[in-house]
Amino acid sequence: MPLPRFGNVADDMSSTSFLVLVLVLIVTCSEAELATEFAEASDGGTATLPCNLTPNKPSDKVSVVVWHKGVEEDPIYKFDLRGNRPQHWAEPSLGDRFFMRILDDNRSVLTISPTNLSDENVYHCRVDFITSPSRITHVNLTIVGERF
Ligand SMILES: *[C@@H]1O[C@H](CO)[C@@H](O)[C@H](O)[C@H]1NC(C)=O
Ligand SMILES: *[C@@H]1O[C@H](CO)[C@@H](O)[C@H](O)[C@H]1NC(C)=O
Ligand SMILES: *[C@@H]1O[C@H](CO)[C@@H](O)[C@H](O)[C@H]1NC(C)=O
């Protein structure tokens, strides 16, 4: 009788270790995904929100970049590189204040100018590539005081 019981304990132990491993992996992955950039701008000034364009494979190319604001479902900005010429689109209600710029192969920024208090939020930039999995950058933008 004791032997099968030991067997069961061992089985329980290994499935517990497996569960712990899975949990650690899940937590590690979501932490990587939630890694947040911070940006700060004065009210009425210019905000610069970074977005990482680095593909997993060096030969890969960006196809579309989509920005979301807070928990809003609809995008606020799109940058489409699939055609002959890059296409910019910005949510009209945000005014003509948003513009995305490519800095180099790996880096881009979304600038907001002039900022106002309603811009304070966490922004999410999703980069789709031709073949690599999408990459997401979260940016927490704080608007500080007034510009003098
Ligand atoms: C910020 O600017 C937007 C677009 O111009 C405007 O709709 C909004 O009312 C402004 N918000 C504040 C708090 O000034
Ligand atoms: C972009 O990132 C890749 C991979 O990390 C690196 O090999 C490459 O040199 C970087 N390019 C620039 C312009 O920083
Ligand atoms: C964004 O940053 C502000 C100031 O550092 C902080 O109070 C707030 O909790 C952050 N929000 C999120 C969702 O990380």
Side-chain angles (χ1 to χ4, degrees):
M1 279 316 262
L3 274 178
R5 233 177 131 58
F6 274 124
N8 285 344
V9 168
D11 279 352
D12 285 351
M13 294 270 288
S14 60
S15 52
T16 305
S17 320
F18 178 70
L19 261 183
V20 167
L21 178 66
V22 168
L23 281 177
V24 166
L25 282 176
I26 289 172
V27 168
T28 312
C29 290
S30 49
E31 262 176 12
E33 165 122 275
L34 286 175
T36 297
E37 304 273 351
F38 290 89
E40 206 174 78
S42 52
D43 189 8
T46 300
T48 304
L49 314 184
C51 174
N52 189 341
L53 302 179
T54 315
N56 281 358
K57 282 185 286 171
S59 59
D60 208 353
K61 291 259 178 294
V62 174
S63 62
V64 184
V65 180
V66 180
W67 280 91
H68 286 263
K69 179 181 180 181
V71 296
E72 287 169 29
E73 206 175 307
D74 295 330
I76 55 157
Y77 200 95
K78 285 190 238 175
F79 185 55
D80 190 335
L81 284 152
R82 287 170 298 186
N84 290 333
R85 290 194 305 139
Q87 303 274 334
H88 293 261
W89 174 88
E91 163 56 44
S93 70
L94 294 169
D96 214 7
R97 304 179 299 125
F98 288 63
F99 190 74
M100 207 194 106
R101 232 182 244 114
I102 307 275
L103 301 181
D104 63 32
D105 285 351
N106 300 327
R107 297 179 306 142
S108 70
V109 290
L110 180 70
T111 56
I112 311 174
S113 185
T115 56
N116 73 30
L117 290 178
S118 69
D119 296 325
E120 183 162 296
N121 216 319
V122 178
Y123 293 78
H124 317 277
C125 167
R126 195 195 73 225
V127 183
D128 295 339
F129 301 94
I130 306 291
T131 58
S132 303
S134 301
R135 177 187 286 281
I136 297 178
T137 304
H138 305 275
V139 189
N140 181 346
L141 172 64
T142 307
I143 305 293
V144 291
E146 280 182 40
R147 199 172 52 125
F148 296 102

